[in-house]
Amino acid sequence: MELQIIESIEQMREISSRWSFSADVALVPTMGALHEGHLSLVREASRIASTVVVSIFVNPLQFGPAEDFDKYPRDLHRDASLLASAGAKIVFPPRADEITPPTMELSIDPGRMGRVLCGEYRPGHFAGVATIVSKLFNIVQPGCAIFGWKDAQQFLILRKMVQDFNIPVELKALDTIREHDGLAMSSRNSYLSDKQRQAATSIHRGLQEVSAAFKNGNSKSDTLIEIFKRTISAEPSLKLQYISVVSMDSLEPLDMVVPGNTLVALAVYAGETRLIDNIRL
Ligand code: AMP
């Protein structure tokens, strides 16, 4: 079957009412400007479900006033052709005035989980994400939805949202896809100058050093954080915004790594571009 592009909510609802949260339908929510990271999610979706819907929506609610909403890359034509080859059946690029009409009042409050880590520096961001993803779940009615560990805090908040609100969608997260030199793929990497792009490789290097130190028996969060900071401070063009060692269930800070349940998450500025990355220990 050829890739269908469905723009209107009404038309999407008409189709999804036929499958109503069937496990055989997988949704991959994205903001477009697709790269190999997104496509890995789509391929996995098409492995586990016979219908794969990919939403493309640059969500205004998740951008702060000083952030890059206007310059965020958009290319539906290119995205659609990549999605057709990756096995998607439907692309859903809803119009902003339909998904977030001026009459909309309510939003989902992700609570404390939305105020820590990236949430401390991007107030309202995770409320914007949770609100739009819950709307996408209601409209597309998939049985499962696939996300990337690249945005670990987003995934953990959405996993809590489906638990807390009894939403019948099973969530799955896949490992971060990286460039050959370790930089996590991101639509925002296109903003980087050559020099910044080169410097940004030390983010993954720093995380690998953290991982190696942990494997060598170092479990103290403070020590691991210092190890990362040392790597990053060797790059004058990078500025660390935060690094935290937290529990994957609650996102509460941990003094010591709890093996199998620990996230080391960080954000770094390369010039004006904010990059995030993480590892699980
Ligand atoms: P975005 O378009 O940035 O909102 O991302 C859409 C989905 O793709 C989210 O679930 C992201 O976590 C995931 N994603 C983004 N970058 C990567 C990557 N490098 N590897 C794996 N998944 C990713």
Side-chain angles (χ1 to χ4, degrees), residues 29-32 35 37-38 41 72 147-148 150-151 154 175-177 185:
T30 79
M31 298 205 300
H35 51 63
H38 299 113
L41 310 187
Y72 198 85
F147 297 87
K150 159 90 189 338
D151 299 271
Q154 165 177 286
D175 284 339
T176 301
I177 303 293
M185 287 194 181

Side-chain angles (χ1 to χ4, degrees), residues 1-6 12 15-16 19 26-27 51-55 83 87-93 140:
M1 195 176 81
E2 232 185 71
L3 184 77
Q4 268 185 292
I5 300 186
I6 307 289
M12 191 65 240
I15 298 173
S16 66
W19 60 56
L27 171 67
T51 301
V52 175
V53 182
V54 178
S55 60
L83 289 173
K89 296 270 163 63
I90 295 177
V91 188
F92 178 49
V140 177

Side-chain angles (χ1 to χ4, degrees), residues 153-186:
Q153 184 175 11
Q154 165 177 286
F155 172 66
L156 296 169
I157 288 172
L158 295 174
R159 194 170 70 177
K160 195 76 176 70
M161 176 182 85
V162 300
Q163 269 169 19
D164 286 359
F165 292 160
N166 309 92
I167 301 175
V169 181
E170 200 170 307
L171 303 200
K172 182 168 184 180
L174 300 188
D175 284 339
T176 301
I177 303 293
R178 297 177 181 280
E179 302 287 355
H180 63 280
D181 55 11
L183 179 66
M185 287 194 181
S186 162

